Amino acid sequence: MAAKTDMPFDFDMSKYLTEMKVPGVDMDAMVATQQKNLEALTAANRLAFEGMQAIMKRQTEIVRQAVEESAAAATGVAGAQTPTDKMVKQTEVTKETFERTISNMRELSELVAKSNTEVLDLLNKRFTEVLDEVKTTVAKSGQQIPGAAKK
């Protein structure tokens, strides 16, 4: 059984920050804001991970489909009777493969774009909320916001 060692930095940061008193700064609001930031980052990471899983799953399906189609195409080309028939069959297979590849690339790029958009929308929303929280906190403290016009 491992003995618990006393770590010099083993403390609850949120407790420490809420106990810290700085004039004009609402430490509870700062801690709450940082907690929301961590929650947003966690959600963004989850979305990114789920997006990558979906992309990898689809790539696996595409590879499986390509292997099956290659085997079928090889059988079809081998079954052609004349060299001309083989050439025609190879040309058809090449054209179909090229079109399917373009379609698959388009689908995968759309999956990547969708995943990125979801993550960026979530982070953008949180960033906007942070700015609103800072504005509200500063307004409550009665201090002038730098760069803001005086009324």
Side-chain angles (χ1 to χ4, degrees):
M1 178 180 227
K4 184 179 181 204
T5 59
D6 290 326
M7 299 289 290
F9 300 109
D10 187 23
F11 64 93
D12 183 0
M13 184 60 120
S14 62
K15 181 180 176 189
Y16 173 76
L17 288 175
T18 55
E19 291 174 356
M20 194 167 102
K21 302 296 179 204
V22 177
V25 177
D26 183 355
M27 294 308 283
D28 289 330
M30 282 184 61
V31 169
T33 294
Q34 293 307 318
Q35 180 65 35
K36 290 176 189 175
N37 290 345
L38 287 174
E39 290 168 0
L41 285 174
T42 300
N45 283 331
R46 183 181 36 75
L47 281 174
F49 180 73
E50 290 170 358
M52 286 306 300
Q53 279 184 316
I55 292 163
M56 291 173 63
K57 179 181 177 188
R58 183 60 186 126
Q59 284 177 327
T60 302
E61 292 169 356
I62 289 169
V63 168
R64 181 195 49 76
Q65 181 184 18
V67 168
E68 290 172 359
E69 290 171 354
S70 293
T75 302
V77 170
Q81 300 299 319
T82 67
T84 303
D85 290 342
K86 285 185 182 194
M87 190 175 240
V88 168
K89 189 69 175 167
Q90 284 177 335
T91 304
E92 289 172 359
V93 168
T94 301
K95 179 182 177 192
E96 290 168 3
T97 301
F98 178 76
E99 289 171 350
R100 195 170 21 265
T101 300
I102 295 298
S103 174
N104 289 338
M105 288 172 54
R106 184 175 291 118
E107 179 185 357
L108 290 172
S109 69
E110 288 170 359
L111 285 172
V112 169
K114 179 181 181 246
S115 177
N116 288 344
T117 299
E118 289 173 352
V119 170
L120 290 174
D121 285 349
L122 188 143
L123 293 175
N124 184 45
K125 180 179 181 249
R126 181 61 201 140
F127 183 73
T128 302
E129 290 171 354
V130 166
L131 293 177
D132 291 340
E133 289 170 11
V134 168
K135 181 180 175 183
T136 301
T137 301
V138 170
K140 283 182 183 177
S141 74
Q143 296 178 4
Q144 180 65 32
I145 300 173
K150 293 184 180 183
K151 293 183 180 180

